[in-house]
Amino acid sequence: MRIDLEGRTALVTGSAQGIGLAIARTLAACGASVVVNGRSAGTAQRAARDVRAHVPGAQVTGIAADLATDDGSAAMLDAVPDVDVLVNNLGIFASEDPLEIDDDTWRRYLEVNVLAGVRLTRAYLPGMMERGWGRVQFIGSDSAVAIPAEMIHYGVTKTALLASRAGSRRRPPGRASR
Ligand SMILES: NC(=O)c1ccc[n+]([C@@H]2O[C@H](COP(=O)([O-])OP(=O)(O)OC[C@H]3O[C@@H](n4cnc5c(N)ncnc54)[C@H](OP(=O)(O)O)[C@@H]3O)[C@@H](O)[C@H]2O)c1
């Protein structure tokens, strides 16, 4: 299969390492101009260098922004006002005793794993629709449907992403159902 993304811009969130970085390399190999992201300039630039090393001639920009915050999202939107491909890869996980997960931790998981992607989708999707082409991808997990006992907070956020995907199927006005 040959996927041609020449002339397209792709943003992969939380891509300074791991799955996001692998996705960024692949999108670059398909010809997209790629934006990689981590919270520090050091990790974002290192990821950009990694993509260039794997895909000679790749157009890559590293943007440091904490996308779990309003300020970080605003900085990203300033630096990259439009994208054609948005990969909401950013996600955190750790094992915790379910009865020990405090409110701050729940809030952080919802902010990082759900709201960051929702916020960017809200900002970028209208431009894709206006231009008549675009893709938004959320990176899920089997933890969405088989929630591990030690990662209930993580699983709940991944189940929420499944709900947002189902909700994105457009309904005619006035035909909303519960
Ligand atoms: N790994 C798995 O086994 C697995 C399995 C199923 C699904 N997934 C999903 O796949 C996705 C990627 O997982 P991964 O394991 O590849 O991640 P990872 O290796 O832990 O990488 C996390 C990345 O996110 C960046 N990051 C963390 N917080 C950030 C923030 N607030 N704003 C911007 N960047 C931030 C980190 O860079 P900095 O430290 O520089 O910020 C790092 O590059 C997640 O959605 C995860 O739920 C992973």
Side-chain angles (χ1 to χ4, degrees):
M1 183 164 55
R2 162 123 180 87
I3 299 173
D4 184 2
L5 294 175
E6 206 69 47
R8 309 289 189 190
T9 299
L11 164 59
V12 187
T13 66
S15 51
Q17 63 176 38
I19 293 169
L21 182 55
I23 292 170
R25 287 179 194 155
T26 304
L27 290 170
C30 292
S33 172
V34 176
V35 179
V36 288
N37 155 252
R39 284 163 296 181
S40 77
T43 57
Q45 295 308 329
R46 191 181 62 207
R49 284 196 298 277
D50 174 285
V51 175
R52 279 187 214 105
H54 279 83
V55 185
Q59 297 287 312
V60 200
T61 312
I63 303 284
D66 182 342
L67 297 177
T69 66
D70 289 339
D71 287 353
S73 298
M76 177 60 78
L77 289 165
D78 268 357
V80 186
D82 289 307
V83 300
D84 304 298
V85 179
L86 170 62
V87 183
N88 288 311
N89 167 75
L90 173 59
I92 53 171
F93 48 92
S95 297
E96 302 250 8
D97 180 332
L99 297 181
E100 300 294 327
I101 304 169
D102 60 21
D103 287 5
D104 284 347
T105 305
W106 272 104
R107 281 191 199 97
R108 191 162 65 87
Y109 270 72
L110 289 164
E111 295 268 355
V112 176
N113 291 5
V114 181
L115 194 52
V118 168
R119 202 188 282 121
L120 289 179
T121 302
R122 201 169 54 212
Y124 285 126
L125 187 56
M128 296 179 198
M129 292 171 78
E130 267 172 41
R131 293 188 297 278
W133 195 94
R135 299 288 185 272
V136 177
Q137 182 81 43
F138 283 82
I139 301 302
S141 168
D142 62 347
S143 298
V145 289
I147 301 184
E150 73 285 6
M151 289 206 283
I152 284 178
H153 53 335
Y154 173 66
V156 164
T157 63
K158 291 297 180 181
T159 309
L161 298 185
L162 293 184
S164 63
R165 179 176 180 275
S168 71
R169 294 189 196 114
R170 303 182 82 189
R171 293 176 195 283
R175 295 279 312 277
S177 64
R178 291 190 189 156

